Amino acid sequence: MISSFSILHCAMHIAKFVIRPAMVSVCAVFITSIAWSQQSLVDGNYTIVNACNGKSLGLQNGNPNPWDNAILRDAATTWRISSAGDGSHIVRASGTESALQTAFAKTASETDVDLWTYSGGASQRWIIGNGGNGTFKISLAAAPTMVLDAKYGGANGESEVWLYADNGTCAQRWNMKMANGTGGTGGTGGTGNADDAFAMTKKIGRGINFGNMLEASPVEGSWGITLTDELFDKAKEAGFATIRLPVRWSNYAQATAPYTIDAAFFQRVDYAINAALSRGMNIVVNMHHYRQLCGEALDSGEKSVDARVLDDRFIAMWSQIATRYKDQPNDRVLLEPYNEPNTACNGARWNTLAKRALDEIRKTNPNRFVVLGPSSWNSAYALKDFAPPDDQRVIITFHNYSPFQFTHQGASWGGSSADSWLGTTCCNQAQTSEITQGMEVAKQWAGTRWPLWMGEFGSYEKAPYDSRVRYTRLLRDEAEKRGIAWAYWEMASVFGIWNPANKTWRTELRDALTGP
């Protein structure tokens, strides 16, 4: 509904820019609809940080004169936000009467934003709206389809902020935190409402991979372990909040259209989901080891399909998976389109496939939390080439097996190289630096836009046990100090913390993950 006050604001805006008729079209757009909900803020002092690049909204020269530019910079500026009635707010440089204002109209969709002495005009009032993912949109009250935009916010220390037509990108969303650190309504990443991907990542918390079970080839049990109630009980007992469930769907889907997934196998995944939920745990269901999709060598018992249908088969499987689980709770059952894309799935091809998979999931699961990661085996260093779809319910994953010579020493699939690493201990200063560097790379890439989940880390059973314990606790502590959720690889096989053969814990490893 459009209030008479809002129409008056629009009229005032047109009057202000009467010699610049391009802006009239913006007000015409305004009288249609607003696509996002308004959201109130408690009056107070805030820092305002762009969700895309983590840079703060600030002043060009730090002197709030009548026409200072509003820019993005590394140093934070404190802004005083106060209600102006009718859902709008005034955004002032704290301690002054200077307020954000549209300076002049460039085009119907481009306008400078300056700081002017507050006069109460329509061009100085802003609607603070829910931008999703714990962020806000800051829209001109006179023309709510125009929002603050870090259009030119790059890597420089200072970049201009403009007013642009709302196009839903993360450059138009802002994190706000009260200057006293308590956070505003909706908050910065990690303090938002229950629908916030940052809040969901906190809920994921500490996780465990149920590896070598449903992704075994050719069938469950081929790699020596199967899903049991006992494993779910033990994961709960150990204090894990989330299970990550690797699934080799491709071994159970038809080779030709419509690529139907075997009903009995679906029931095994159903069992796992219900087992986790009934114990109050979350579960992330992924697609694991569709080897041919990425041009990898096939595993024993794995059948090849026509190379021309690989991508379509991948999407068709996700259509079935998403449809089957569309009624599961969105904040308890998460979907992860593919584990460790690599080789032929690197770079641009994975960007395309990831978007196609998410689009397919969204057809039946518009509010499902979805986990996506970069190529090169989910390496943090490949994030620079990853272009995740701009979706507010996406969580970014990466894997961390550094230092590889320690974590994979003696691994049966590593050949003579892996055997030559036997006896490698952990964790000296250089190894610690290697471990944390990937986390830092991920954090810098994610900024305040994306929540992070370290979906795999762990060490092979042939590594010295005391070093495995030190490594595991180090990874846990370093991830948690950076606000990164995690899932250890894995529960009960060659990296495992539980021995299903003699039904005993590897107690020190378990405690390194969930102990005090």
Side-chain angles (χ1 to χ4, degrees):
M1 177 181 293
I2 304 297
S3 69
S4 59
F5 180 84
S6 299
I7 295 174
L8 175 60
H9 267 191
C10 198
M12 290 169 64
H13 186 70
I14 294 171
K16 179 175 177 63
F17 297 116
V18 66
I19 62 171
R20 300 175 181 88
M23 289 300 288
V24 174
S25 62
V26 177
C27 289
V29 172
F30 163 51
I31 303 177
T32 55
S33 63
I34 301 172
W36 42 272
S37 61
Q38 295 182 13
Q39 186 166 342
S40 63
L41 289 175
V42 176
D43 288 1
N45 292 333
Y46 294 80
T47 55
I48 302 175
V49 181
N50 185 253
C52 269
N53 57 26
K55 292 187 178 293
S56 295
L57 182 68
L59 311 180
Q60 187 170 50
N61 58 24
N63 298 315
N65 293 320
W67 50 82
D68 282 348
N69 290 133
I71 61 170
L72 290 176
R73 66 193 316 169
D74 292 326
T77 296
T78 301
W79 299 89
R80 187 167 81 252
I81 298 178
S82 54
S83 174
D86 286 294
S88 67
H89 294 79
I90 307 161
V91 181
R92 292 184 177 92
S94 186
T96 77
E97 289 305 312
S98 298
L100 284 184
Q101 173 170 311
T102 54
F104 63 90
K106 286 182 169 295
T107 69
S109 62
E110 268 178 38
T111 309
D112 276 342
V113 177
D114 283 1
L115 200 71
W116 288 70
T117 300
Y118 183 66
S119 63
S123 63
Q124 292 184 311
R125 294 191 179 193
W126 304 85
I127 295 173
I128 311 296
N130 184 357
N133 207 26
T135 65
F136 295 91
K137 289 190 178 182
I138 304 175
S139 170
L140 186 65
T145 56
M146 299 289 286
V147 299
L148 287 190
D149 190 306
K151 187 71 176 180
Y152 302 106
N156 296 328
E158 296 186 356
S159 305
E160 290 185 22
V161 175
W162 287 30
L163 200 70
Y164 253 72
D166 183 4
N167 59 19
T169 64
C170 73
Q172 295 177 333
R173 289 192 289 269
W174 304 85
N175 291 304
M176 294 191 186
K177 187 173 183 179
M178 294 194 77
N180 63 9
T182 59
T185 303
T188 58
T191 60
N193 59 39
D195 293 333
D196 182 311
F198 282 90
M200 183 66 240
T201 308
K202 280 192 171 183
K203 185 176 178 180
I204 289 173
R206 298 169 176 173
I208 187 77
N209 280 271
F210 272 26
N212 293 352
M213 303 180 206
L214 294 188
E215 88 277 22
S217 185
V219 295
E220 179 186 5
S222 297
W223 292 355
I225 188 169
T226 60
L227 286 173
T228 63
D229 284 345
E230 178 184 58
L231 291 178
F232 287 96
D233 289 337
K234 291 300 176 182
K236 177 69 174 178
E237 175 187 306
F240 294 106
T242 298
I243 288 167
R244 181 172 181 257
L245 186 72
V247 184
R248 193 189 295 246
W249 298 97
S250 54
N251 272 23
Y252 300 88
Q254 292 176 336
T256 57
Y259 314 110
T260 303
I261 296 171
D262 178 71
F265 186 69
F266 250 136
Q267 290 172 3
R268 288 299 286 160
V269 179
D270 295 347
Y271 158 72
I273 291 174
N274 293 332
L277 296 185
S278 67
R279 290 165 174 81
M281 304 176 76
N282 315 304
I283 188 166
V284 180
V285 178
N286 81 3
M287 182 178 290
H288 226 85
H289 296 333
Y290 183 8
R291 298 289 195 191
Q292 194 178 354
L293 180 71
C294 296
E296 298 176 88
L298 301 186
D299 285 322
S300 175
E302 193 173 5
K303 297 179 181 178
S304 65
V305 301
D306 187 334
R308 294 171 296 181
V309 307
L310 287 171
D311 291 7
D312 288 344
R313 186 170 180 251
F314 172 69
I315 299 304
M317 285 188 280
W318 272 112
S319 176
Q320 296 172 70
I321 299 164
T323 299
R324 188 174 186 96
Y325 300 123
K326 65 183 177 63
D327 295 324
Q328 293 287 358
N330 292 319
D331 63 343
R332 301 283 306 285
V333 179
L334 293 79
L335 301 178
E336 182 181 357
Y338 198 63
N339 172 75
E340 296 188 347
N342 65 86
T343 317
C345 293
N346 281 342
R349 179 161 179 252
W350 174 237
N351 286 336
T352 299
L353 278 176
K355 184 179 186 307
R356 284 188 65 188
L358 182 63
D359 287 346
E360 192 63 36
I361 291 168
R362 287 287 176 253
K363 290 178 183 178
T364 51
N365 292 256
N367 297 312
R368 178 81 48 203
F369 287 103
V370 176
V371 176
L372 291 172
S375 56
S376 298
W377 291 271
N378 285 150
S379 167
Y381 299 96
L383 284 166
K384 61 183 176 57
D385 300 316
F386 186 39
D390 188 25
D391 185 293
Q392 293 306 297
R393 291 196 162 209
V394 163
I395 294 167
I396 300 297
T397 189
F398 68 99
H399 295 175
N400 190 348
Y401 284 105
S402 296
F404 201 76
Q405 290 84 350
F406 168 73
T407 62
H408 282 69
Q409 59 185 291
S412 58
W413 58 93
S416 58
S417 293
D419 289 341
S420 70
W421 302 332
L422 284 168
T424 302
T425 59
C426 195
C427 301
N428 61 33
Q429 185 174 351
Q431 291 170 319
T432 299
S433 178
E434 184 179 349
I435 287 166
T436 57
Q437 185 177 0
M439 297 185 199
E440 285 298 314
V441 166
K443 284 292 288 183
Q444 291 176 22
W445 176 88
T448 57
R449 170 61 183 91
W450 298 105
L452 291 172
W453 185 40
M454 190 166 65
E456 288 187 20
F457 71 97
S459 58
Y460 189 60
E461 63 184 357
K462 290 188 178 180
Y465 185 71
D466 57 345
S467 287
R468 292 185 68 197
V469 173
R470 286 194 298 273
Y471 158 88
T472 302
R473 183 61 189 240
L474 176 66
L475 267 289
R476 163 195 161 176
D477 288 345
E478 293 296 332
E480 291 180 355
K481 111 175 23 171
R482 292 168 174 81
I484 300 172
W486 52 261
Y488 179 80
W489 186 272
E490 33 70 27
M491 180 69 184
S493 189
V494 291
F495 286 66
I497 62 172
W498 168 255
N499 186 334
N502 61 19
K503 300 187 184 303
T504 59
W505 288 109
R506 295 179 178 101
T507 306
E508 297 83 3
L509 272 181
R510 179 200 62 194
D511 291 349
L513 292 167
T514 58

